[in-house]
Amino acid sequence: MSLLASLVRAYDRLPAAPPYGYSPEKIGFCVALDADGSVCEITDLRATDKKRSPKLLLVPQAVKRTVGIAPNFLWDKTAYVLGVTAGEGKRTAAEHAKFRERHLEWLAGATDDGLVALRRFIESWQAEAFAAPLWPDDLRDQNLVFRLTGTFDYLHDRSAAKELWQRLGAEGASATQICLVTGEPGPIARLHPSIKGVWGAQSSGASLISFNLDAFASYGHEQGDNAPVSEAAAFAYTSALNGFLADKAHRIQIGDASTVFWADAAEEEAAEAEHLFAAFLDPASEDKLAAGKIGSKLAQIRKGVRLSEIAPELSQGVRFYVLGLAPNAARVSVRFFWTGDFGTLTANYQRYLCDTALLPPPRDGWPPLWRYLVELASQGKRENVPPLIAGEWTRAILTGAPYPLTLLSTTLMRIRADGEVNALRAAILKSVLIRNFKSREAPVALDPANTNKGYMLGRLFAVYEEVQRGALGGNVNATIKDKFYGAASATPQKVFRTLDAGSQNHFSKLRKQSPGRAVNLEKLLTSITDLMDPGNDPIPASLNASEQALFGIGYYHQRSDFFRKHDDKTSEEPVK
Amino acid sequence: MAFGIRLHVWGQHGLFTRPELKVERLTYDVMTPSAARGILEAIHWKPSIRWVIDRIHVLEPIRFQSIRRNEVGHKAPAGTIKRAMNRGDLEGVQLLVDEDRQQRASTVLVAPAYVIEAHFELTARAEASESEGKHLDIFNRRAAKGQCFHQPCLGTREFAAHFALIAPGAPLPTRNPAAETADLGFGSPRDLGFMLWDIDHAAPGRPSLLFRASLSDGMMEVPQPGSPEVKR
């Protein structure tokens, strides 16, 4: 099924989805009108929290405003309704005039008390009348709705208003065409409602489907005619998508891609699958699950138990959808869209865990995907995560496909740039080697018998560093790692002779300080060099990318091994 | 299958743009019938014949990749060009790429490969003396030699299509057994949603014609022109 079709389907299933023609909007105040159109009182609808967040109310769907002036039906911001704004409004007068003109036209034949009251209010309203105490000053630039004094429902909720809104919608509809989502004939949406809440896109909302330049149009079609989507389908897919984007249970951020996900199943199973998926990629939601039934299932999934054994009801027939949306100014683009069986998804997730498994593991258990991504960003800032890699990698994890090769080159580049080889980076290197190169040489834990050139040189490099640390202590300003890591991993021949010569000095000092340690390190050094085959050029002029990756893994393994042994010793000492 | 042909096409990438997501382009999962028709027409076409696609076999797993490119935001206006031709002067006929740049994302297919099964019909413009065998011979000869009037493409021009004729009676190229997944409709048919069948250039407003596409055992059946499955 296509992206739009699955969103439309999700809309039909969503319990809290707004009805056709209505959308939830942030409303600040309600104006109560007397039957003659005079203002009786103003009610503040905002919450009492610090930010005074406005109330979300279902109102007639907002019109799409870009540069044009277009009022909403029976509600709007004060610039439109009253002609009043806090800032310097160049168009305020024009906006209010438009609101007045359109509403007088819409409400011309209305007989309902509420609608008549609103018409009278609009006819008599003068912007000069805006003054305290009746009109509080924080009202400016808030959205307003109306109410008839003595009644409890809002004006737009009155049945007469609903009927009128339906009629207006039918009158505005364009010619009937076949909708490419449903396949049924229907009036075609000219402009699609905005998608709100995509990180990095315009705050007023951006469009998933828009044709704003003539290079995008084909065959002389204009706007929505380029891709005939019926009004109903356009409303359904945008409502569903906006609902998901606003809901923390259906949304996570991966790099710059705002990712939404949903399951197509009975409510309970769908919620369970969605919780599990959120926990796969984001630990914040994992904490909430830790104690419950889902938490234990998650732990088993991570141990590699097949989903059909843990949750048979989820492994068959629960279709799952993951959609990554990336911002591009006023447009939203689809970074990835995955749809399939939840069982397949879980299997792919387990494969990803297996590929990244590394000993010793990263300090805090199961690092979320974004922790890995931050390792690829300069200065470790989340906003610097290379956008395309984040999306491609996520897609590869979801589908079980090979990883993007830029993942390897970017990780190597970051390591060269800041000389840090940590568990996360080594895990990325290892997972690319295993998945893309089917490499059997990338071990999970320290492998003293591995004879790959890169791996051995990485270990050797770690030993040289340890010798230096032993001789000079931990407070060296620039260690050989800081100075030589980049060169040693890329062009070992240039560096290793120097390192070897330098290590002799360190060894002689170390022998005087702690002879036992010097002997141990020398033994280790020989055990590595013994593996090397002199005929096969053990220290080549250059290493290719996958050998450089193994260099990093070897270095990480050997180096963390020193620290681990060190820990063992301290724990043994009291016994002696 | 009297006048049927089978053509194996493949390439590094393919981009069969969905009309609804053609600004930030997203590809259909499978080649569209109109894209297949375009490939056949690149090899042989005359006003007297009309290609009809019967079915499309998908040989490789469906994989995607995202790329971003700088593209131009406007078309060269036909009116300006016409005026310049009348005037005999190139003044103003230009698109400045660096001043009208748009960065757009595309999600493309990686390494697609298909077998197109198709046949052709004679149109009203065919002369009485014309026989179908003649056109079939021309097509087979040209396709076997690798001849084409313009380089056929997989959806968009930048993704060139390689092609090879499958001789009548010869077996289809084999599919890697690892590719025979549920994704290609092995086991149970996979619904691909509504897909563009072609554009009706004869009707006013040039509407798109759609059909409900599905993959079963790696094959997409394409409805015949005029059948009720083609929505108009």
Side-chain angles (χ1 to χ4, degrees), chain A residues 368-529:
Chain A
L369 188 59
W370 67 264
R371 284 280 308 281
Y372 284 110
L373 287 168
V374 163
E375 292 296 334
L376 304 175
S378 68
Q379 298 172 315
K381 285 184 181 161
R382 283 184 86 162
E383 64 264 30
N384 290 343
V385 171
L388 276 182
I389 297 184
E392 289 288 293
W393 193 16
T394 314
R395 192 211 322 273
I397 292 171
L398 297 176
T399 55
Y403 287 160
L405 274 182
T406 40
L407 188 58
L408 182 65
S409 53
T410 312
T411 316
L412 291 173
M413 192 183 73
R414 289 307 324 149
I415 293 177
R416 269 204 298 279
D418 55 23
E420 180 157 341
V421 187
N422 55 28
L424 297 169
R425 285 180 178 178
I428 299 176
L429 294 176
K430 184 196 156 230
S431 64
V432 180
L433 289 181
I434 287 188
R435 195 171 282 203
N436 289 34
F437 298 99
K438 312 270 179 284
S439 168
R440 291 198 197 84
E441 286 175 324
V444 175
L446 179 66
D447 176 10
N450 194 316
T451 57
N452 179 284
K453 281 177 206 166
Y455 193 77
M456 287 192 300
L457 288 177
R459 287 180 62 200
L460 201 57
F461 189 76
V463 177
Y464 285 139
E465 192 199 3
E466 180 65 13
V467 175
Q468 187 199 35
R469 204 170 66 96
L472 307 179
N475 291 326
V476 181
N477 276 336
T479 62
I480 65 164
K481 182 191 79 172
D482 299 332
K483 280 184 183 166
F484 296 113
Y485 184 91
S489 65
T491 53
Q493 213 168 64
K494 280 190 177 153
V495 182
F496 268 85
R497 193 163 301 147
T498 326
L499 292 177
D500 191 49
S503 77
Q504 295 312 317
N505 299 330
H506 294 145
F507 265 126
S508 68
K509 189 172 181 195
L510 189 60
R511 265 184 225 111
K512 288 166 200 153
Q513 289 167 352
S514 57
R517 192 152 172 225
V519 170
N520 280 341
L521 283 173
E522 234 165 333
K523 266 190 198 158
L524 179 62
L525 200 64
T526 351
S527 79
I528 298 173
T529 46

Side-chain angles (χ1 to χ4, degrees), chain A residues 1 214 218 221 328 331 392, chain B residues 22 24 66 103 191 205:
Chain A
M1 225 184 327
D214 71 5
S218 308
H221 291 320
N328 193 354
R331 298 194 295 258
E392 289 288 293
Chain B
K22 69 175 175 181
E24 303 289 330
S66 297
Q103 187 162 63
D191 181 15

